[in-house]
Amino acid sequence: MKRHHILSKTALIAAVLLFLSTGTDLLAGKPSGPFKACPVSAAAEAATNFTREPADLCAPSARARKAAPAPVPVTHIMVCCRSNGAGTRFLVNGEWNPDHDYSDIGQVRDIFRKIKDAGINVVSVDFTNPSMWNLGDVPGEPLLWNTFSPMLDNIVQVCREMDMQFFLFLGNPAAWTFKYWNRIAGIVLDRWADLPVYRKYGFGDDRPMLVMFYPGWEFRRLWDQTPDEEKDNLAKFRIGTTQVNDPILPVETDGWGYRNYSSSSDGKVRFVSPNSGVGPDQWERIGAKAWQERMEWVMGATEYAVVGSYDDTCDAIFWGIADCSESTRVKHHANPETVDDPYFYYETVKRTIASCPHRKK
C-alpha cells in the first residue's frame, strides 16, 4: 500500500541543469530568481554518497551551530499499513502491540504523550495513499475514507488536549496529478487548516503546512507545467518535499524525509532516520553511534528538524519505543547493537532534543 517511485538518470541530469539555472519558489508558486542550493560539489557528492557522516551534508560551521537557536522538532506518524510491522511491536498503554490503531483515541493519547515527552510537539500525519481519501471518486482504489477520517478526528482532539500541532503529508502528484491533490488540498483548507492545532510554518510565513511525497526539483517542474486553476488550493500552503527511492540534488523545499537523512539546500530543514540507504534494497537499521551522530546533526537545522517517523515500519524509518526482536524484516528493523533495547532510538531522540538550548516549540 505504500509508495514507490523511480527516476531515470536522464531525468536526474535534466533536473540538475534545471535548478542550477533560474527558479520558481515552490512554496508560493512565484518567481524567485536563482535557486539557492548548496555548493554544487558538496551537494552532488552528498546526494549520491550515503555512507558519509551526516555532518558533511551542507553543514554549518561549529561556531554557527553553537550560535543558532534550536529548530522546531517534527516527526511523521503512519496511521495505515500496520501489517507491515512484520512482527515489530510498539509499546502502547503498557503493552507490546503489533497492531496499534489510531481509531482508538486511548492509543492515540499514549503515542502522542510519548512523542511529546521526547520533546516533539509537531507531527506530520501520513495521508499519502489516495485510497485514504477515497469516497468512490478514485477508480480502482479501496473506499477507505470512512476508515481513516475518524483517525484524523482523534488526532485533532489529542492535539487540543496536549497543546500539540499536526499537518498533513500528501502523495505523489505525478501518479495522481496536481489537479487531484489540489482538490485534496481544498478539503484540508476547509476542514483543518484554520484550526489552531494545524501547524502554520512560522519564521515570517503564516501559511499552513503540507508535505508532498515527491522530490523538490520534480515538484517544481510539475508545478510550472500545471495551470493556475489546478493548483490554486495548493498555492495557499507552505509545501515541503521529500526524497523517495533515488538520490537527489536537494533544493529549498526538500529536507522533509523520507529516506536515510537529507537536508534542504539552504539548511533550514533537515531530516534523519535510523535507516541507511535510499532504495528499499539498500535499507538497513543503523547502530548506536550513527544514530547519536544523526540526531546531533539534525538539530543543526535552522528552522525544522524532522526526526524520521515514530512508527513507520513499512519504510523502516521508525524511532519509537519498539520491540524488534521478532521482526521478520530483520535487516530493516533490527540492528545487532540495539535490538535488545526497545527504548534505545527513542531515548536518543529525547536526550538529544532536551540538550539543545533555546529549543522551539
Side-chain angles (χ1 to χ4, degrees):
M1 190 173 178
K2 286 292 270 190
R3 303 75 44 133
H4 298 281
H5 181 70
I6 303 295
L7 304 183
S8 68
K9 291 182 180 179
T10 302
L12 183 57
I13 292 169
V16 172
L17 295 175
L18 176 66
F19 74 73
L20 289 178
S21 58
T22 58
T24 298
D25 183 353
L26 298 180
L27 307 180
K30 295 182 284 189
S32 62
F35 230 68
K36 298 177 182 178
C38 299
V40 174
S41 59
E45 187 176 356
T48 57
N49 183 354
F50 292 91
T51 61
R52 300 178 64 198
E53 294 299 320
D56 292 331
L57 185 58
C58 303
S61 67
R63 179 178 297 178
R65 288 196 302 270
K66 185 175 180 181
V72 178
V74 177
T75 191
H76 298 283
I77 59 171
M78 187 178 73
V79 301
C80 70
C81 310
R82 290 271 68 87
S83 61
N84 287 296
T88 290
R89 302 175 298 163
F90 285 85
L91 185 63
V92 182
N93 289 323
E95 298 182 357
W96 296 104
N97 191 334
D99 192 27
H100 61 271
D101 184 359
Y102 284 87
S103 66
D104 179 339
I105 197 168
Q107 294 188 36
V108 179
R109 288 188 177 110
D110 187 73
I111 292 167
F112 274 51
R113 172 54 60 190
K114 288 180 170 67
I115 292 171
K116 187 177 181 72
D117 287 349
I120 298 175
N121 291 295
V122 182
V123 295
S124 162
V125 185
D126 186 335
F127 261 66
T128 53
N129 292 313
S131 58
M132 301 169 78
W133 299 95
N134 192 12
L135 277 170
D137 54 347
V138 185
E141 291 286 332
L143 304 177
L144 295 181
W145 174 246
N146 290 334
T147 298
F148 289 102
S149 177
M151 297 183 186
L152 268 181
D153 293 340
N154 285 343
I155 288 167
V156 170
Q157 178 62 31
V158 172
C159 282
R160 286 171 173 154
E161 294 172 1
M162 296 188 181
D163 192 23
M164 296 176 69
Q165 292 182 312
F166 78 99
F167 60 91
L168 285 163
F169 180 17
L170 302 184
N172 182 337
W176 290 94
T177 76
F178 259 83
K179 184 176 182 179
Y180 172 79
W181 289 112
N182 188 62
R183 183 177 67 80
I184 300 303
I187 296 173
V188 179
L189 284 169
D190 290 342
R191 297 195 181 196
W192 302 289
D194 287 336
L195 298 177
V197 294
Y198 195 93
R199 182 74 183 183
K200 315 309 185 287
Y201 190 86
F203 302 96
D205 187 341
D206 61 359
R207 284 174 294 175
M209 293 174 63
L210 284 177
V211 169
M212 305 293 291
F213 190 67
Y214 212 53
W217 65 268
E218 277 200 293
F219 186 89
R220 170 187 168 190
R221 176 178 57 81
L222 290 179
W223 183 276
D224 289 346
Q225 295 173 357
T226 302
D228 289 346
E229 64 272 16
E230 293 184 7
K231 59 187 180 186
D232 55 337
N233 294 322
L234 286 165
K236 296 173 184 176
F237 289 88
R238 172 80 177 228
I239 297 175
T241 52
T242 66
Q243 185 173 36
V244 187
N245 286 341
D246 297 276
I248 61 170
L249 195 58
V251 299
E252 287 180 330
T253 57
D254 289 319
W256 292 94
Y258 203 71
R259 300 285 185 265
N260 200 9
Y261 63 85
S262 60
S263 172
S264 61
S265 59
D266 53 17
K268 291 180 180 180
V269 181
R270 290 181 175 182
F271 169 87
V272 292
S273 74
N275 189 21
S276 62
V278 182
D281 60 334
Q282 301 170 326
W283 294 351
E284 188 170 349
R285 192 79 161 165
I286 65 174
K289 183 175 183 291
W291 183 230
Q292 180 63 56
E293 290 173 346
R294 288 190 181 193
M295 280 304 306
E296 291 173 359
W297 175 77
V298 79
M299 295 307 291
T302 58
E303 294 184 352
Y304 282 89
V306 187
V307 184
S309 169
Y310 186 83
D311 57 355
D312 190 339
T313 51
C314 179
D315 286 6
I317 62 169
F318 62 97
W319 56 271
I321 303 171
D323 177 6
C324 305
S325 61
E326 297 180 7
S327 174
T328 59
R329 296 178 64 189
V330 177
K331 182 180 177 181
H332 294 174
H333 288 186
N335 182 286
E337 294 178 10
T338 59
V339 68
D340 293 331
D341 184 358
Y343 293 82
F344 173 77
Y345 296 93
Y346 175 88
E347 290 295 340
T348 302
V349 172
K350 182 176 181 178
R351 180 177 63 251
T352 308
I353 292 176
S355 69
C356 230
H358 314 300
R359 180 166 55 86
K360 293 186 181 73
K361 182 176 177 181

